[in-house]
């Protein structure tokens, strides 16, 4: 298919095939599943290492665990940007401007760590 609308027709065919595959998969699931699924005893109770559960099912996590996870993800993703820069740093077309840009980037990272340290977010109690 060529021409202006050819790529749209290809996209439409791919989308139609995807919808058809989706409907076929769910239809096969409906036809092949048991009429009344088995419900073994104890299926819906919480499993705690083979022992009967004690207490309720409500557990509250402290916010600091989420803060640690957020800070880890934030700095891990930002650290990923250092690797491509380090690979192309020695090329002739990259000079002082590339070093200055990465200096600003690392300074922003350092300010984030300093802010978290000053707010005592990084202390484990």
């Amino acid at each position: 298919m060529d021409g202006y609308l050819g790529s749209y027709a290809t996209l439409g065919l791919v989308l139609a095939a995807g919808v058809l595959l989706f409907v076929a998969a769910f239809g096969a699931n409906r036809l092949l599943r048991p009429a009344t699924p088995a419900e073994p005893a104890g299926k819906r109770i919480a499993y705690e290492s083979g022992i009967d559960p004690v207490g309720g099912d409500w557990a509250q996590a402290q916010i600091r665990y989420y803060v640690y996870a957020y800070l880890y993800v934030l700095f891990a993703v930002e650290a990923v940007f250092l690797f491509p820069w380090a690979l192309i740093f020695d090329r002739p077309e990259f000079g002082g401007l590339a070093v200055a840009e990465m200096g600003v980037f690392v300074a922003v990272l350092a300010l984030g760590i300093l802010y978290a340290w000053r707010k005592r977010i990084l202390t484990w109690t």
Side-chain angles (χ1 to χ4, degrees):
M1 292 184 197
D2 55 345
Y4 180 72
L5 295 177
S7 54
Y8 288 112
T10 304
L11 178 65
L13 288 174
V14 168
L15 287 175
V19 168
L20 184 65
L21 181 66
F22 181 80
V23 169
F26 273 93
N29 183 24
R30 190 178 253 325
L31 289 174
L32 298 175
R33 72 176 182 185
T36 55
E39 184 80 31
K43 179 178 179 179
R44 297 190 185 268
I45 64 169
Y47 180 75
E48 295 180 2
S49 302
I51 327 172
D52 289 333
V54 177
D57 59 350
W58 173 254
Q60 186 175 2
Q62 294 184 9
I63 189 68
R64 71 171 164 230
Y65 300 124
Y66 295 108
V67 171
Y68 281 118
Y70 177 73
L71 286 175
Y72 171 75
V73 168
L74 179 74
F75 288 109
V77 167
E78 289 180 350
V80 167
F81 289 114
L82 293 172
F83 293 108
W85 176 79
L87 289 175
I88 63 169
F89 174 68
D90 62 346
R91 292 187 183 171
E93 63 266 13
F94 295 99
L97 183 63
V99 173
E101 288 175 354
M102 192 49 67
V104 169
F105 181 74
V106 170
V108 169
L109 284 177
L111 282 175
I113 286 273
L114 181 67
Y115 176 77
W117 181 63
R118 294 287 302 237
K119 290 287 189 175
R120 298 195 177 268
I121 292 174
L122 299 177
T123 58
W124 190 273
T125 56

